[in-house]
Amino acid sequence: MTSFLHRHRLLFSALTLFVLLVAAAALWLSYQIHRIEPFLRDRIVSQLSERFHARVELDQFHISLLHDLAAEGTGLRIWPPDGTTNSPIP
């Protein structure tokens, strides 16, 4: 009597290949998200600066795809236009 793996060698090979491809795709996607975060952070700061005509700072920005597409930023500071005060707008 032959084992299950010997009888279904092609199925086992296809499943192994599928699992490896899914793992490789997940690693690639994680790498791409990590690479795009600084670009998006700079874009957000630029757009807010143009919108409010003021200096804008954003300390951290992260993207997550675990359960749904989510973006989170911390340390957002929008400074008033020149000539008013030197403290950020709360």
Side-chain angles (χ1 to χ4, degrees):
M1 188 177 205
T2 61
S3 72
F4 178 81
L5 290 178
H6 285 138
R7 285 183 283 145
H8 301 286
R9 187 175 298 165
L10 182 62
L11 177 63
F12 180 72
S13 297
L15 285 174
T16 302
L17 180 62
F18 177 74
V19 168
L20 290 175
L21 287 174
V22 167
L27 287 173
W28 177 82
L29 186 61
S30 175
Y31 175 72
Q32 293 301 322
I33 287 173
H34 180 71
R35 283 187 56 203
I36 202 168
E37 281 180 354
F39 169 76
L40 289 176
R41 181 187 163 282
D42 291 344
R43 180 83 176 167
I44 289 168
V45 168
S46 173
Q47 291 294 314
L48 287 172
S49 180
E50 286 179 26
R51 170 69 174 95
F52 293 109
H53 305 288
R55 188 178 82 176
V56 175
E57 297 176 2
L58 180 60
D59 291 339
Q60 295 180 7
F61 179 75
H62 300 288
I63 299 173
S64 175
L65 289 176
L66 287 179
H67 300 291
D68 202 2
L69 177 62
E72 178 182 15
T74 59
L76 176 65
R77 290 179 296 282
I78 302 175
W79 300 82
D82 292 335
T84 53
T85 65
N86 288 335
S87 60
I89 299 171

